[in-house]
Amino acid sequence: MTTELGRIMHDVADNAGMRVPSGLYARARRARRRRLAALAAVTTLLIAGAIAFPGWRPSPPAPAEPGIDQLPTVLVSPPAGTAALRDAPLSRALALYATADQFLPGENSPLTVVGSDDRYREYDRPEWTFASGWTNTILLSPDGRYVLMAQWGSGDRLRSRLLDVATGDVRTLDAGAPLTWSPDGALAALVHYNGDGTSDDPVGGQITVVSMPAGRKLWQVPLTPLPGVFRELRAALSPDGLMLAVQQRDQVTAYHRDGTVAWRARVAGQLAGRAAWTPDGRRLLLSDARGRLLPLDAASGAAMAVLPGAEGVQRVGREMTPLVDVVGWRGETALAVIGNQRLYELSEPPRVLLTAPDTVYELDVATLHVGAQPRVPGVADPGPPPPFRLPGWAVALVAVAVIALLSRRRPRHVVRDWLRGV
Amino acid sequence: MDTQQAQASFEEFVAGRSAALAKIAYLLTGHREDAEDLLQAALCRAAVRWATIDDPEAYVRRILFTQSVSWWRTRKRRPPETLTDEPPTLPVAPTDQDLRLVLDDALRRLTPKQRAVLVLRFYEDLSESQTAEQLACAVGTVKSQTRHALARLRELNPHLATLVGDQPRSVVTR
């Protein structure tokens, strides 16, 4: 019986009377090209959107409670493909450095940020500049959470960029360019020049002490107008935040919080960094060309007995630069970066805690919540792979959606017809 | 095979085989427009891979059968059925033309898979295992789909019982 079914089916089919249009081959290939072009366009748009639209970026990690991290004994060059800090923030930085090959005046100059557990990130700072000839271009907060950098606006307007390491966000502080952090990171001193501070004409200005990270102006002291005032200027805040020592050339002036002068002194060295005041606030340290520390009495500015500091230490590379930059204290012992190359514990004898790569030009190190014994570093972690850091499932979902959209068939649909090469 | 050779070969294939393939497409869809769409889609798919296809006829047929099934799921063009309490009236002796019209209408009321199975089994005259291979399903599926399709045809119009057999050995369970 079913043979009869086949016969009638043939009869049905024979009476269908269908036609096939010509030019199908060219149309099929044209349709394929269009589909591929559309797929490429949509994919490009999605990728561009993923880059441009910050909401698509993964949420930065919540700032961690300050724990104790151990510094690595050695910093290395950032591995290839190291993630950008903006894309993969760290809870905080233990160290921050710029290498000589990153030191490109007038161009963007990336920084290497080193977090706990050997996590490396890069931050592509938009400009390379500093607040004075005696300060670095990068100032890491003592707890490693923030980085202060100078920003030269139009018309000699000096500001500060404040980079939050835990989010990658940057804010601008209007009070001036950064000279120093206070030892506890609660304050910062920012300078503003009343004109071109680099000119040979006498130019004055102000140093403003601001609360951090808010940037609220607290108090202000004047700069003595000097030719080339920009070139030779340093500052250090006392541990209690109630005094500010300002060095212009060979004169140090100590100011009280109310702006009055506590004392002035002629000195033979330079203020020894953000932790130049001893933790008890009784002495103010300067370093000299031999790496020695020259204390001043914080109450009067009178010179005190010289300390050996890093004198006699066998130095390498840029450590030949004698400046001792005290960045923190461990009890009565200073922690100092010397020559932007190594971090020392200035004990008897001095002990190297951390060594940066030979090519490092500027180095800063967090000293709060940092353990006493540096650890041997592990393999450097470059962070999530570039370029877009969208989770894999999101990429797959987008791809499936695009393909489904492009292959969907609806009668009399303009897009469908175009994609089919009609 | 370069592009020009492939195009010439493709157009030769279309000229020679499109009529036969169109009939299959019509039986699979039940509508002329849908059948033309289905056949064109299958030929376009084949065209972009023409140079690498070993057996174009088998390739196009396979696309026809697989696409006819997947197509239907996204379309809402199954003909409406009129529900009535009246038993169908039967002409005394239906002609072949009557049967053709009745079967044409009844085929449209089958599911795509049932239609595909019937076309392969009774139009293409393939065995159950060959049909299963074409549809990429189990032989058991072919058997059950065939049984259900024939039972459905009997239900839809008693005239068709003369084509598919009077004994409804397997009653469709719904």
Side-chain angles (χ1 to χ4, degrees), chain A residues 85 92-93 95-97 111-113 123 125 137-150 160-166 169-171 173 178 181 212-213 364:
Chain A
L85 184 70
R92 68 159 171 157
L96 174 71
Y97 69 80
L111 308 175
T112 301
V113 185
Y123 173 71
R125 59 177 160 175
T137 65
I138 46 177
L139 284 79
L140 183 64
S141 64
D143 64 359
R145 172 73 189 270
Y146 299 98
V147 182
L148 273 171
M149 296 162 281
S160 293
R161 292 182 200 279
L162 179 66
L163 168 67
D164 186 342
V165 173
D169 293 337
V170 177
R171 284 173 45 221
L173 308 182
W181 288 89
M212 295 300 285
D364 210 341

Side-chain angles (χ1 to χ4, degrees), chain B residues 60-77:
Chain B
V60 174
R61 278 170 185 263
R62 190 175 183 85
I63 295 173
L64 284 178
F65 284 104
T66 53
Q67 286 297 297
S68 71
V69 175
S70 63
W71 257 30
W72 192 267
R73 290 177 180 147
T74 61
R75 298 174 86 97
K76 308 290 182 190
R77 293 191 57 179

Side-chain angles (χ1 to χ4, degrees), chain A residues 1-21 23-29 32 35 409 411-412 416 420, chain B residues 3 6-7 10 14 18 22-23 26-27 32 35-36 39-41 43-44 47-48 71 96 99-100 103-104 118-119 122-123 150 162-165:
Chain A
M1 274 299 177
T2 47
T3 318
E4 277 299 294
L5 176 61
R7 187 177 66 79
I8 301 299
M9 285 178 84
H10 276 278
D11 202 12
V12 170
D14 290 344
N15 282 276
M18 286 171 47
R19 61 185 174 79
V20 176
L24 271 184
Y25 188 85
R27 198 176 101 185
R29 294 180 72 84
R32 184 164 181 256
R35 277 198 299 272
R409 309 179 69 91
R412 297 176 295 282
R416 195 266 331 238
R420 292 173 67 190
Chain B
T3 305
Q7 183 168 2
F10 175 82
V14 171
S18 63
K23 291 175 183 175
Y26 180 78
L27 288 173
R32 188 175 300 170
E36 285 176 353
L39 179 57
Q40 287 178 36
L43 289 172
C44 284
V48 295
W71 257 30
D96 274 5
L99 285 174
R100 174 168 62 78
L103 180 62
D104 194 4
L118 290 189
V119 171
F122 304 115
Y123 181 80
L150 295 179
T162 61
L163 298 179
V164 300

